[in-house]
Amino acid sequence: MSNIVTFVHRPSIICLVIARVAMLIRRAFKFELKPDGRQACQIGKFCGCARYVYNRTLSLEKSLYAKDDKHSFRYTEATKRLPEWKNKHPFLKECHSQVLQQSLKDLDRAYTNFFEKRANFPKYKKKFRHDSIRFPQGVELDEVKQKIWLPKIGWVGYRKSQDIIGAIKNVTVIRRGDKWDVSIQTEYEDKPPAPTPSEIGIDMGVKHFATLSDGKVFEPLNPFKREQEKLAILQRKLARQKKGSRNSRKTKRKIARLHRHIADSRRDFLHKTSTQIAQNHSTVYVEDLKVSNMSASAAGTIENPGKKVKQKSSLNRSILDQGWYGFFRMLSNKLERRGGKLIKVDPKNTSRTCPLCGLVSAENRKTQASFACIACGYRANADLVGAINVLRAGRARLACGMSGGVRPLSAGTQRDLLQH
């Protein structure tokens, strides 16, 4: 069940009334897995078997489609091939049968996403890059001893960082770098707490990660930028080493550990920031940013080469390093669990509109950091102005059913802004 949300509009006030209805929530809890040598080897074999079934089925489906363009992938038909493949390849019998079936379900989902235009055509999985297995049942958990039972593998330790809530639905084991993680998906019924009656607008940026309409600023972490020089040294070292040698394998492990450290640092920062915002506000307005388009390459083609390619590539790195898309996803999930809501608004002219007189002009923002209205003389930080305009656009969209356009504020709100 979902929350029942009612919006009541009054002059310069929007009241958010949320009926606290129990919801059925599915949530994933991710931990670092601590297998011993035998267990790690067994998990690696299971991943190899799942990868073999996935890639061979994909290759077979491609050949069948080449012969008959009316052929389509069907999960039930694919599973019927498994007994024959197990007889031909005894190593598949060592793997848990449901792990192989889940691999085919992944392929089925990949085909569905492709035909519904949500993803590209399925690609072959590569060793070490796509190593994961999933257990839909037969899993037990001992939180006191910090161990989890995986079928045909046994009790494996994990590093507990939080309590697990709800009944286990499935468990996924994933390789990241030279370590293993376990993701435990659970399902439980929860009544969200009474949300804090507060709303806020957020302006995203590169220099300042997030600027809130109340003036609070979250500085960026930039984990990749911090480790970029160290990563470049290791990659140059790897390029000089003999391919396949022991030293090259050691360097690869160091690179993998560094990438894992970068990803973990970014995810920790995003979780802490999104949690702080979700705890203090019930309704959050953000710009509907197309991050994939914003971070697209500006190199162009040979016939039509791009302009300022070096500057754009640096901007792309900064956007991807900060993880805007992941931040929006985390914030949306945490607000929903607490009975709140994340609302996206049109980002057009949010940084060019004066909050007082409503003038829209590129001349209002001649520099990246400062905003100065050429009509009324209002001055403020440009990111703060953007966050205020995002808040106003979100309020207008909720109260009036508009598309989120920016309009001038009321006289009372203007006085509040001037005092602020």
Side-chain angles (χ1 to χ4, degrees):
M1 299 177 66
S2 59
N3 289 346
I4 302 173
V5 183
T6 305
F7 296 100
V8 182
H9 180 244
R10 299 176 184 173
S12 72
I13 298 178
I14 296 178
C15 298
L16 177 62
V17 182
I18 300 182
R20 297 173 62 191
V21 182
M23 299 185 301
L24 195 62
I25 295 177
R26 282 210 173 190
R27 182 178 173 185
F29 298 84
K30 195 170 185 179
F31 307 98
E32 180 183 336
L33 204 61
K34 299 192 294 183
D36 57 29
R38 182 196 64 81
Q39 292 170 337
C41 182
Q42 191 75 357
I43 295 173
K45 288 181 179 179
F46 279 22
C47 290
C49 293
R51 186 173 57 251
Y52 174 83
V53 169
Y54 183 98
N55 290 343
R56 182 168 179 180
T57 304
L58 178 58
S59 179
L60 181 59
E61 291 296 322
K62 283 184 175 181
S63 62
L64 292 174
Y65 181 79
K67 296 177 182 178
D68 181 12
D69 58 1
K70 295 182 179 180
H71 174 77
S72 61
F73 175 79
R74 290 183 177 84
Y75 168 75
T76 53
E77 294 182 1
T79 53
K80 292 178 181 178
R81 306 187 191 111
L82 289 179
E84 181 183 353
W85 289 358
K86 287 183 179 180
N87 292 330
K88 290 183 179 179
H89 306 287
F91 66 89
L92 291 177
K93 295 181 179 179
E94 300 177 6
C95 182
H96 196 277
S97 59
Q98 290 185 343
V99 169
L100 304 180
Q101 294 169 5
Q102 293 297 311
S103 180
L104 294 177
K105 285 188 176 182
D106 290 342
L107 182 58
D108 184 29
R109 190 179 301 108
Y111 267 107
T112 302
N113 291 337
F114 168 70
F115 286 116
E116 294 182 359
K117 297 182 179 180
R118 293 196 300 263
N120 295 326
F121 189 80
K123 296 181 180 180
Y124 294 107
K125 289 188 176 182
K126 296 182 179 180
K127 189 176 182 180
F128 298 118
R129 291 188 60 186
H130 305 94
D131 284 349
S132 67
I133 53 176
R134 186 165 59 254
F135 298 93
Q137 58 186 16
V139 178
E140 298 179 23
L141 189 67
D142 188 341
E143 294 192 71
V144 177
K145 296 182 179 179
Q146 298 187 23
K147 290 185 177 182
I148 183 170
W149 171 268
L150 301 178
K152 282 198 171 185
I153 296 176
W155 288 103
V156 185
Y158 71 94
R159 183 166 294 174
K160 182 179 177 181
S161 56
Q162 59 180 322
D163 293 331
I164 298 175
I165 308 172
I168 298 176
K169 304 301 292 184
N170 61 70
V171 171
T172 304
V173 180
I174 314 162
R175 186 202 296 269
R176 287 202 309 122
D178 58 348
K179 295 183 179 181
W180 296 94
D181 290 339
V182 59
S183 179
I184 305 171
Q185 188 186 59
T186 66
E187 186 178 72
Y188 60 95
E189 194 172 271
D190 181 47
K191 180 179 289 187
T196 305
S198 171
E199 51 186 1
I200 203 77
I202 300 179
D203 179 80
M204 306 299 295
V206 175
K207 186 175 181 180
H208 303 297
F209 174 73
T211 302
L212 277 57
S213 56
D214 62 359
K216 186 175 179 58
V217 177
F218 292 92
E219 298 298 336
L221 182 65
N222 295 326
F224 178 80
K225 187 177 181 179
R226 289 184 175 185
E227 305 292 345
Q228 188 174 6
E229 185 176 351
K230 185 176 180 180
L231 184 61
I233 292 173
L234 289 173
Q235 289 174 335
R236 286 195 294 266
K237 181 179 179 181
L238 178 63
R240 293 192 297 267
Q241 292 173 336
K242 184 178 179 181
K243 197 172 183 179
S245 65
R246 181 179 296 179
N247 286 335
S248 68
R249 290 196 295 270
K250 289 181 180 178
T251 306
K252 282 183 179 180
R253 285 195 292 270
K254 290 181 181 179
I255 294 174
R257 283 195 292 268
L258 185 56
H259 276 298
R260 181 186 175 100
H261 170 70
I262 293 171
D264 288 344
S265 300
R266 181 185 297 113
R267 185 170 60 252
D268 178 71
F269 169 76
L270 296 179
H271 270 299
K272 290 178 178 178
T273 305
S274 58
T275 298
Q276 184 175 345
I277 295 174
Q279 287 176 345
N280 297 325
H281 307 284
S282 59
T283 307
V284 179
Y285 307 101
V286 297
E287 296 172 299
D288 188 10
L289 301 175
K290 308 299 181 184
V291 179
S292 58
N293 296 341
M294 294 176 64
S295 58
S297 174
T301 61
I302 298 177
E303 295 79 11
N304 297 311
K307 298 180 179 179
K308 297 183 178 180
V309 178
K310 187 175 181 179
Q311 294 89 329
K312 183 63 169 63
S313 63
S314 177
L315 177 63
N316 291 351
R317 269 196 308 271
S318 298
I319 293 174
L320 296 175
D321 190 17
Q322 294 185 16
W324 290 354
Y325 178 82
F327 172 71
F328 292 151
R329 179 172 50 83
M330 291 179 186
L331 184 57
S332 177
N333 292 338
K334 292 172 183 179
L335 284 168
E336 186 177 354
R337 288 202 298 267
R338 299 181 64 85
K341 189 75 173 177
L342 179 73
I343 299 174
K344 295 184 178 182
V345 300
D346 186 1
K348 185 178 180 180
N349 292 327
T350 54
S351 61
R352 297 179 176 182
T353 304
C354 178
L356 292 184
C357 65
L359 176 68
V360 181
S361 174
E363 297 297 320
N364 288 345
R365 189 176 182 180
K366 293 183 178 180
T367 64
Q368 184 69 23
S370 61
F371 179 95
C373 180
I374 59 176
C376 66
Y378 174 76
R379 293 176 176 272
N381 179 269
D383 294 333
L384 176 60
V385 170
I388 293 172
N389 286 329
V390 168
L391 175 63
R392 294 165 47 210
R395 284 175 170 174
R397 181 177 180 180
L398 291 181
C400 306
M402 299 174 63
S403 60
V406 178
R407 298 187 301 172
L409 293 177
S410 63
T413 310
Q414 290 182 17
R415 288 192 299 270
D416 295 339
L417 282 173
L418 287 174
Q419 292 175 2
H420 174 75

